[in-house]
Structures are given as C-alpha cells and as structure tokens.
Amino acid sequence: MSKISRRRFVEGTGAGLVATTVPLQGQTAKAAAAVPHTTVKLTVNGTVHRLDVEDRWTLAEVLRDHLGLTGSKIGCDRGECGACTVLLDGKNVYSCSQLAVWADGRTVQTVEGLAQNGKLDPLQEAFIEHDGPQCGFCTSGQLMSAKALLNHNPHPTTDEVRAGMTGNICRCGNYNHYVESVLAAAATLAADSRRKA
Amino acid sequence: MNTLKTVGHPTSRIDAEKRVTGTATYTGDLRLPGMLYARVLRSPHPHARIRRIDLSRAQALPGVKAILTHENCDVIWGSGDMRNKRYLFNDPVRFVGDAVAAVAATDRHTAEEATRLIAVDYEVLPFVLEPEDALKPGAPEIQPGGNLSPTARGAHEPEQYRRGNIDEGLRAADRVFEDQYSSPHINNAQLEPRVAIAQWDGDRLTVHTPTQGISNCHTEIARDLKLAPEKVRIICQFMGGGFGNKNQDHDFELMAAVLAQQAGAPVKIEFTRKEDFLAVHGRWPTKQYYKVGVRNDGTLTAIQLRGYSGMGPYRKGTGGIAGIEIYQCPHVERLVYPTYTNKAVSANLRGPDFPQGVFGIESLMDDVAYALKMDPVEFRLKNMTRKLNDQIPYTSIGLEDCIRRGAEAFEWRKRWHAPGEGSGPVKRGAGMAMGSFSSSMGRSSAVIDLDARGTYHLHVGVTDIGTGAKTTMALIAAEELGVPLEKIDVIWGDTDRCPFSVGESGSRTTTQTGWAVVEAAKDLKRQMAEKGLPQGNQLLTATVNANPAPLTGQARYSFVAHFAEVEVDTETGHVRVTKYVAAHDSGRIVNPLTAESQVKGGATMGIGMALHEELLYDRASGQPLNAGYYGARILTHLDTPEVDVLWIQTEDPYGPFGAKTLGEPTIIPSPASVGNAIHNAIGKRVNDLPITREKILGVLA
C-alpha cells in the first residue's frame, strides 16, 4: 500500500476512496500452494463428499463455507458456547474445535439433516411449540445436543436434560423453554414408539 | 380486561420453522461473489501513543487487498462517542482492544495472518482503571479536558437530579443509613459475534449487518461516511441478539465499507469472540454511595446517591445509575459522575442504568427494613412509588399487585425468615426487589398493502433481535384488521423496503412501532370501506408515520417485582437459586408465549449478573483477564432455575391495545432479589457484584 497522507485521504473521500496497491496474482497462487492441503471423505447428512481441505480449516468452517451448511453457527470459535454443535459419528461435538482433517472417513449430522423426508424432527416441532429459540443463534446447537441426548437416553429427567445440554449457552436465557421442549419431544417419541409396538 | 381475538393468545413465532431448521439466514451465513474477509489488529496496551506502524510485511503477504490505519483513514465513528471525536482508528489508543488497523484479504486466515505481520511501535502511557482514581488530581488524562465526562451542554460536572432539600430530609429522619455498593463491567455476550458485509454498487453502499435498528444504522452510516441517505441500504434479516450493543451504527460496519471501497470488492468483516468481549462495549461498572433517612414507622424522608460510572475512554452511554425513583420520598439528591477510564468501553446492556442501581438501593432498603424490624415486602408496599418522582401520575400502575400477588405466588411468608436463621451448612433464604421502566410513546412508521388475493403486506422496519417482534407486529395487525394471522405477510429488516422504525432498543418496538401498525390498519379499514376491496392488480395502501404527542401531566411506565429463594452452602460459598417468581405489569401482553420467554431470559441474565459475571483486570498491567464465555461464567442450563412468570395486566389507555414495555424490565430487579435472598440466608451482606463464592466465604469468615 502506498503511503497516503491524511489530507489526500480526506480529499479522496469525496470522489471515492483512494485504492491501495493490489499484490500480484502469482503471489496469491504461490501462497495458496504453501498452505498444506489434505483430501478428506466426509459423510454429511447422508451425502458423501470428497473435499480438498486446508489443514487449518475447522469442521465448522468446512460445513459453513465450503458445503453451504450454514445452520451450524459459530458463536465463539473456541469451544465455549456450543452454537456450532454437530453430531460426529452420533456424538455431539463442537465443530469449531475439530479440524476438518480429523473428520476424514467419519459421519456428520447437522441441523439441516434433522428433518426427514420433509417432516420435522419431534425436537424441532417441540422447539416451535414451546418457543425454544429467541434470537435463534444457539438453537441449532441446542437441537443437536438434544438429539444426541435422546439418542442415548430416550427418557431423560429434567436434570438429565440440563446436564446433557449444559455445553450449549443461550444468552437470551431461554433454558427453561429449551428443557421443556426436549422433555416434550421425548414424550412424543415415547408415544410414537408405543403406537408402533 | 376484555379478551381479544388474536392479541393475548400464546402464538408460535411466524418464522419459528426457519429458526429450528437452520434456514434462517444470519449475516455471517451470507457469501457474495468475490467477497474478501477482514480482520482487525488491536492495541495490546491500555494507553499508548503510536509512534510508527510498519505495514510492509503485511502488504507483501499474498492475498492482502487493503489495510486501514489511523494514517490513511480518518472516518469519525459518530455513535462511538457522544462527546469526543472518536475515529475508527485512534492515536493514542486508550484501552486494550482499541482498533489499530483493519486488513481485507482473500480469506480470513490470510487476513488474520496479515494483522500479525503489522509492526506497531508504541509509546506506552500511564493508565487508570477505576473511576474514582481517574478523578484524582494527577491521574492520566484520557480525553482532553479531564476524566469527568462532560454533560450534553459541555459542562464538566456530574449528572444531577434533586427534589426537596436533602439536608432537611436527613434532619427529619429518626435514623440515617449509609452504605456503598459496586458493580463490575460485564459484557452483553449475545451469541452472534459481530459480522458485517459491505458492498458498493458505484456510489451506492449496501451493508448487511446484525443491527437492533436498521433506521438508526442507516442514518448514522450515511452521516459517518458523508453519503446521502438514499445512497445507503441496510439489510438485517435474522440477527443473533444484542441486548443493547447493536443499537447504533458500529465501527465494524464502517470499516467494512471503507475496506470494500478501497479494495473494489465486497468485504465481510468478522470479530472474534474475544474482540466482541473487549472491543465493543458492556455494562458500565459503578460505585454507589447512599444515605437514606427514615422515620421509625418506616416512612422515608431522604435518599441521597453519589455514584461513579466507568465509561471506558469514550462516552458511548449515559452512565446513569437508576433505581431510587421506585421509592416515594420528599427529599432526593442524585449525583452521578460518568468518568473516563482505560478499561473497555461501557454503554447499553439491557436496562442500561437500572439493574446495578436497583441492586444498590434495594440492598440498602432491605437493610433498612430489617433494622426497623419490618417485613421487606411490607416496607416496599409502604414506600413504593405512587407517582413518578412523587409528582406525575402514572397512566396505569400495577406495582402493588406485582408485589402482593408475586409474594403470594412465591409463598413469601413461608420462605422468608429473620436473616441468617437456620442451622446446618446449607442455608436457605428469600429476597425480593422491584423496579420500573419508562414505556413512553413515540415516533415510528408502518405501511400496509392489501392485494386482490386478500393478503396484507405489512412493512415494518423491525429486525427481531429475539423478542418475536415480527410476530408481535403481525398479531397487532391481524387484531386491528380482524383477519387471521396467516393473512399477514411481514416485510422487515431492509431500509429499501421498510419505513422508519424506532429500533429495538429501549423496549420500544411493541409500543411505538406497534402503535403505528394499529394506525395503519385503521387507515386501511377506512379505505376499504370507502373504495371497496382491490381488484386485479390493484393495491390498497395505508401509510402511517405515527408521532403521538408526548403525554403531558402523565407518565407511562412498566413495573416489576422479582422474588428469589436461594440455597447457600456456607462451607463452599456455592449459591443455588431454588425458586424464582417474576411478576410483571407490562399492560396487555400481546403474545404471552414469547413474552414469557423474555421474562425468563431477563431474570436468568440477572441471576448471572448477581452471581458470576465480571470482566477482571490486572491492576498492574491494565490487562483484561477473562474475556470470553468461559471466563465470564455466563449462566448455563445447569445454573438456571425454573422462572415462574406472573402477568399483572393493568388496563392502560395508551399503546397498542394497552401494551406497555417488557424486554428490559425483566432484568432490572433480578440481581437485587438474589442478593437480598443471599443476605436473608446467611445474615451477612455482600455489597459488591458479583456475589462470588470467595466473597460469601469472606463475609462469613
């Protein structure tokens, strides 16, 4: 960037700001080659993807920026809030704290994979009915942790729901309604399985 | 209160399915072709002059497209400081986190790497962290003219309020109580971090940004970039909370716009969570000194407050300390000193002036009640406000019912006892506190188009920060038009498509924009009666720019009382909230389902403020120590009690169907009620928020 004086800059703002110098294209290509890449196989919501990923990319980044699955949110990017929670081989994990290369050969389920054949998951139905989401930014993560919980404990108590979802922060503070939703979904699932039996 | 057809019935959000399927599109989810990513370099020092910035290594990094510093960008961020010129990049830097440079590059990793390659030579300056230290002679001067932030008139004096004569009031008292309280800087900590995308089309700028007010953002971005308002478009379809830190235009939006112009490509700027905690703003820390005069029968004669608010180095908020207005008292004096410090900037967080002030006054009033051997509930019923500042009648007031019926629902008589009573290491106690919040009427607009298919297209400039505003507006329109909710199509969050809205701050959307919706619906009904229904390609359009005259001789307020029961483990200092009742007079409740969510959320946030949250600083180095969710110990599922919500629906003659304000009152008495419950449990008071385990063990030792 050429040095721009304050005066020149102020003058420039009237007719569009002063452009900076742009690095040569060749340099960009060289830099891209310098970043280590790996080809990985990911099964996401039932679809197999072969992807060339930079080793520094997180799973959250790959899902959102490269597979267009933006339902998982990045709230902190450091394993504190849970907004990016997905299921990795059925277990709820913070996708911001997993490198994409670590997920090679594994199966990922995101919020986009919850509804089946156009029918919402009972958890999603319950979240709507009990007003789980306020701003909605933590919701996908709450849903995925709830899904993991019900997968291994179909009849949780209130305290078990709280414990199972405690890694998912909701700053709107709607924990009461999230817990209610999960208990309601568990009841629906139990009634469904009784009907099928 | 009469029952209405649509308003007042629990209704799921009209966009709920999008929110649970991952299809609600937030700003960070958007990608534009050729979009660059931007990152910000920030000051590691609490106070320093910049001698030199060397960009050469960063510029040489392939993929870097534009870099801004104070040397090539002198855009003033008008909303960043109400008193001084605050640039996007300042020299000197005045807090750890002050922006030094912003870099746009082909991807976020390159942008981040480039910020690390910028070499800055700082001349480190002396710093000061606490307001009272900052006001001492010889303290480092943070802004020209001294560290007491001037009033709106430019006078370097405290913000003042007086009625009666405080000395007379104190003389008239049988007993005078004095104490001091403090509250720390805490962060809004909304889940969605700051992200904006700026795109230029010739001389026209579009900014996608998570904002609490597209109209404010629009006006202020145009002002700060010296653009004609029609050259700016703001879009916010879904946004992940703000609690007061996304009200105005922000530096990141301006940075993205300038970077995009320099680089000739759209720019997405992203802040990290740490930046969000340090570099945006949080609740102002306070120190509060009270004197209260009271007669032996419990009648108040005087309330005096001298308070200090730490604003950080820029005046982005009022720094007010509210709370004493909930008591009737003939002699009142309040002096508040908003003061510059070298900590993170302070401004609005849910009920900006209130929960910390209510914590102070409600802690002291609890002690007064105990000293006079009065039940705290009876003491409050005796002394609660009946008129605003003892002068102006309220349009409606349900405070007494909030206290009485809240106490009943809470089983106050069963749970409350003499302070410290009870044996065993785990002690239980009950506490309560009350509050009020302005619910004034004001300017907002709405447009409704009716097409020949019978769909009502409601255009409102709301963004829905989690409150359910879109649904609330649709319910109000459906009610007034007498049509099913499904007939209302809401268009929101885009300044090219929506009229002015006051913005989702000050808890004003339901009352102000809701009122404009009522007026527009009335106008449309008149037109339908006059002209008949539209046919073919016709539209009927009603446009209302509502600007109700300010109430004269009357004040419109919402009221609240919260009740908390806690268990305190006197061996570990651990506190668990075991019962919580929140009683609210917000007039008519438009949507009890989403309103209940707001109350539960506000109370929960207040419990976190009572027990956990504080941005800690190292006094020797001026470094913040615990920025982030983990360090702030934001309340989790495991910490949160069941919050019972009680509606005291007063009939109010103003507002849409008598609705008053709700969002912010929900946090106001929460920290105080928890603090009072802890005092009731252990018989000792912790005067400084947050009431941590160490402090509890300290007062018990």
Side-chain angles (χ1 to χ4, degrees):
Chain A
M1 188 198 296
S2 57
K3 170 108 177 166
I4 302 159
S5 75
R6 211 172 255 235
R7 176 178 295 275
R8 242 187 87 202
F9 182 80
V10 177
E11 285 165 355
T13 49
L17 298 169
V18 184
T20 52
T21 49
V22 176
L24 299 170
Q25 288 303 310
Q27 285 180 330
T28 313
K30 203 171 99 197
V35 178
H37 285 240
T38 303
T39 303
V40 297
K41 188 182 113 180
L42 294 180
T43 307
V44 183
N45 300 331
T47 307
V48 180
H49 299 270
R50 277 182 198 287
L51 298 161
D52 183 39
V53 301
E54 289 186 12
D55 291 2
R56 61 188 177 182
W57 289 351
T58 64
L59 179 57
E61 221 175 337
V62 168
L63 291 170
R64 289 176 48 80
D65 291 353
H66 304 280
L67 295 178
L69 297 169
T70 53
S72 310
K73 304 302 178 200
I74 297 178
C76 67
D77 213 16
R78 52 196 251 186
E80 293 183 349
C81 78
C84 65
T85 304
V86 301
L87 303 192
L88 187 60
D89 292 337
K91 189 172 178 297
N92 50 329
V93 299
Y94 293 159
S95 63
C96 77
S97 303
Q98 302 280 330
L99 287 175
V101 290
W102 298 348
D104 186 21
R106 302 174 73 178
T107 300
V108 179
Q109 190 184 5
T110 70
V111 69
E112 289 90 347
L114 270 184
Q116 296 292 325
N117 307 319
K119 193 178 174 322
L120 295 183
D121 188 278
L123 276 166
Q124 293 170 308
E125 299 277 10
F127 272 45
I128 293 174
E129 194 184 329
H130 295 268
D131 201 42
Q134 286 196 41
C135 82
F137 206 77
C138 74
T139 303
S140 303
Q142 305 277 357
L143 277 164
M144 298 320 287
S145 282
K147 185 73 183 171
L149 173 73
L150 295 188
N151 280 348
H152 77 258
N153 179 5
H155 309 291
T157 63
T158 303
D159 282 344
E160 285 168 347
V161 174
R162 287 178 175 156
M165 296 175 66
T166 200
N168 292 84
I169 285 175
C170 169
R171 183 55 162 173
C172 298
N174 220 13
Y175 297 118
N176 284 183
H177 280 169
Y178 277 133
V179 172
E180 259 177 46
S181 305
V182 177
L183 292 171
T188 306
L189 285 164
D192 283 356
S193 62
R194 270 199 304 277
R195 253 198 311 279
K196 279 178 199 152
Chain B
M1 181 175 278
N2 62 329
T3 306
L4 301 176
K5 209 167 162 202
T6 309
V7 160
H9 303 278
T11 309
S12 287
R13 292 164 200 255
I14 56 175
D15 56 5
E17 189 167 325
K18 281 195 153 70
R19 288 174 194 265
V20 301
T21 50
T23 50
T25 304
Y26 295 73
T27 304
D29 302 338
L30 298 170
R31 296 188 84 191
L32 303 182
M35 186 174 86
L36 305 175
Y37 289 80
R39 282 283 204 261
V40 178
L41 174 71
R42 298 184 178 280
S43 166
H45 301 293
H47 200 192
R49 207 163 277 124
I50 298 172
R51 283 201 199 102
R52 202 170 148 268
I53 301 184
D54 181 359
L55 300 178
S56 54
R57 289 179 66 210
Q59 284 163 339
L61 185 72
V64 171
K65 300 292 185 186
I67 304 180
L68 302 176
T69 70
H70 74 282
E71 290 176 345
N72 67 353
C73 174
D74 66 352
V75 171
I76 292 171
W77 173 24
S79 311
D81 193 323
M82 306 188 284
R83 301 287 187 266
N84 310 285
K85 268 187 194 169
R86 180 177 181 183
Y87 296 91
L88 287 185
F89 308 94
N90 292 280
D91 178 23
V93 286
R94 299 181 176 92
F95 68 100
V96 175
D98 217 348
V100 172
V103 182
T106 43
D107 66 280
R108 66 167 68 88
H109 296 281
T110 305
E112 205 166 294
E113 202 177 330
T115 62
R116 286 193 287 267
L117 294 174
I118 297 173
V120 187
D121 182 12
Y122 293 101
E123 178 196 345
V124 175
L125 301 172
F127 64 89
V128 61
L129 299 178
E130 302 303 328
E132 284 171 285
D133 295 337
L135 292 175
K136 285 179 186 156
E141 191 176 83
I142 298 166
Q143 291 285 357
N147 292 337
L148 175 58
S149 180
T151 62
R153 297 187 321 278
H156 284 271
E157 55 189 42
E159 307 284 346
Q160 309 173 24
Y161 170 80
R162 287 187 182 86
R163 73 169 179 266
N165 179 317
I166 194 69
D167 296 326
E168 206 177 293
L170 289 168
R171 274 198 302 275
D174 292 322
R175 299 180 69 175
V176 174
F177 294 81
E178 271 185 74
D179 218 333
Q180 50 180 295
Y181 305 88
S182 74
S183 66
H185 179 103
I186 60 178
N187 192 255
N188 297 43
Q190 80 298 331
L191 253 282
E192 179 188 33
R194 233 140 279 261
V195 53
I197 301 171
Q199 184 182 29
W200 291 89
D201 179 7
D203 61 353
R204 196 158 195 272
L205 171 68
T206 300
V207 183
H208 300 264
T209 184
T211 173
Q212 294 179 231
I214 52 170
S215 303
N216 294 341
C217 208
H218 176 248
T219 315
E220 293 164 8
I221 285 181
R223 174 198 65 198
D224 291 345
L225 295 178
K226 301 184 172 60
L227 297 167
E230 63 271 19
K231 299 289 186 191
V232 179
R233 178 183 186 184
I234 306 297
I235 303 176
C236 173
Q237 288 299 290
F238 284 87
M239 63 89 75
F243 312 108
N245 71 9
K246 293 174 177 170
N247 293 354
Q248 287 89 18
D249 78 331
H250 268 266
D251 55 353
F252 66 110
E253 292 145 352
L254 299 168
M255 288 175 190
V258 181
L259 283 168
Q261 191 156 36
Q262 291 219 359
V267 168
K268 177 192 263 190
I269 192 166
E270 300 169 314
F271 283 11
T272 64
R273 179 50 59 183
K274 189 175 178 186
E275 288 178 277
D276 224 288
F277 262 80
L278 292 180
V280 181
H281 76 233
R283 188 181 293 286
W284 46 86
T286 67
K287 191 77 191 274
Q288 307 166 32
Y289 299 87
Y290 291 95
K291 256 189 205 179
V292 166
V294 64
R295 290 191 198 278
N296 286 329
D297 69 353
T299 310
L300 292 172
T301 63
I303 304 175
Q304 186 180 39
L305 163 64
R306 182 165 44 90
Y308 299 87
S309 298
M311 305 315 296
Y314 304 103
R315 184 77 181 276
K316 199 168 174 230
T318 67
I321 301 176
I324 59 183
E325 68 287 343
I326 51 182
Y327 285 97
Q328 59 177 359
C329 180
H331 305 287
V332 174
E333 180 182 84
R334 181 177 61 215
L335 297 181
V336 177
Y337 296 74
T339 305
Y340 298 123
T341 69
N342 294 110
K343 279 191 181 178
V345 176
S346 296
N348 293 345
L349 200 184
R350 204 170 197 166
D353 304 9
F354 290 83
Q356 66 276 31
V358 168
F359 171 76
I361 191 67
E362 284 291 68
S363 297
L364 183 53
M365 290 300 186
D366 232 42
D367 286 347
V368 173
Y370 285 132
L372 298 177
K373 301 201 170 7
M374 286 179 76
D375 181 326
V377 166
E378 296 304 323
F379 180 82
R380 286 176 175 87
L381 286 170
K382 182 179 175 69
N383 287 303
M384 62 169 232
T385 178
R386 261 101 184 158
K387 290 178 176 177
L388 178 64
N389 297 329
D390 291 0
Q391 288 153 355
I392 307 167
Y394 295 110
T395 55
S396 59
I397 172 167
L399 182 55
E400 187 169 338
D401 274 349
C402 286
I403 298 171
R404 283 191 197 284
R405 289 179 47 201
E408 267 169 44
F410 179 78
E411 301 176 295
W412 175 262
R413 286 181 190 284
K414 194 181 97 187
R415 294 177 198 274
W416 179 76
H417 51 71
E421 205 179 76
S423 55
V426 177
K427 293 192 158 196
R428 271 180 186 244
M432 60 92 52
M434 59 184 184
S436 65
F437 194 84
S438 171
S439 182
S440 57
M441 302 293 295
R443 200 161 74 88
S444 227
S445 303
V447 175
I448 309 177
D449 297 324
L450 170 61
D451 65 25
R453 294 182 301 279
T455 302
Y456 298 81
H457 306 276
L458 170 63
H459 302 252
V460 274
V462 304
T463 58
D464 203 339
I465 61 171
T467 55
K470 275 179 259 175
T471 309
T472 309
M473 295 305 112
L475 287 169
I476 290 171
E479 181 69 46
E480 186 60 46
L481 291 164
V483 301
L485 183 64
E486 299 71 48
K487 291 283 178 195
I488 312 290
D489 163 39
V490 183
I491 296 111
W492 77 95
D494 182 343
T495 53
D496 270 13
R497 303 172 70 204
C498 305
F500 170 81
S501 178
V502 63
E504 304 197 73
S505 52
S507 302
R508 294 173 295 184
T509 303
T510 298
T511 50
Q512 299 197 12
T513 310
W515 180 248
V517 172
V518 169
E519 293 282 292
K522 282 182 178 162
D523 180 41
L524 191 70
K525 283 194 293 187
R526 270 192 297 271
Q527 292 191 44
M528 284 154 66
E530 203 178 295
K531 304 173 190 166
L533 293 173
Q535 306 292 325
N537 294 327
Q538 290 176 337
L539 282 180
L540 272 189
T541 298
T543 301
V544 164
N545 299 301
N547 194 7
L551 295 174
T552 48
Q554 276 185 304
R556 193 164 190 269
Y557 273 71
S558 288
F559 298 93
V560 52
H562 283 194
F563 299 79
E565 183 193 61
V566 297
E567 254 179 28
V568 184
D569 185 327
T570 56
E571 289 175 349
T572 64
H574 179 68
V575 176
R576 202 163 67 88
V577 180
T578 48
K579 171 93 182 161
Y580 202 101
V581 172
H584 281 262
D585 162 22
S586 288
R588 187 191 292 275
I589 299 301
V590 177
N591 185 356
L593 180 64
T594 52
E596 192 180 277
S597 292
Q598 282 210 61
V599 175
K600 286 170 176 283
T604 298
M605 204 184 257
I607 294 168
M609 181 175 166
L611 300 176
H612 289 176
E613 294 174 43
E614 172 171 21
L615 181 61
L616 294 163
Y617 275 83
D618 176 53
R619 286 176 167 272
S621 64
Q623 293 296 322
L625 301 173
N626 59 340
Y629 286 113
Y630 187 75
R633 302 194 299 137
I634 302 293
L635 236 59
T636 69
H637 272 284
L638 277 179
D639 307 312
T640 305
E642 190 65 35
V643 174
D644 300 330
V645 182
L646 186 65
W647 300 122
I648 306 296
Q649 299 201 49
T650 49
E651 303 247 9
D652 191 277
Y654 302 96
F657 308 104
K660 296 196 287 188
T661 198
L662 176 65
E664 286 167 283
T666 59
I667 194 177
I668 288 174
S670 174
S673 63
V674 173
N676 286 342
I678 292 170
H679 173 260
N680 187 249
I682 63 175
K684 304 273 185 182
R685 189 168 293 281
V686 176
N687 290 23
D688 304 303
L689 288 175
I691 307 174
T692 56
R693 294 177 184 211
E694 311 85 86
K695 289 180 193 165
I696 287 174
L697 293 179
V699 296
L700 287 172

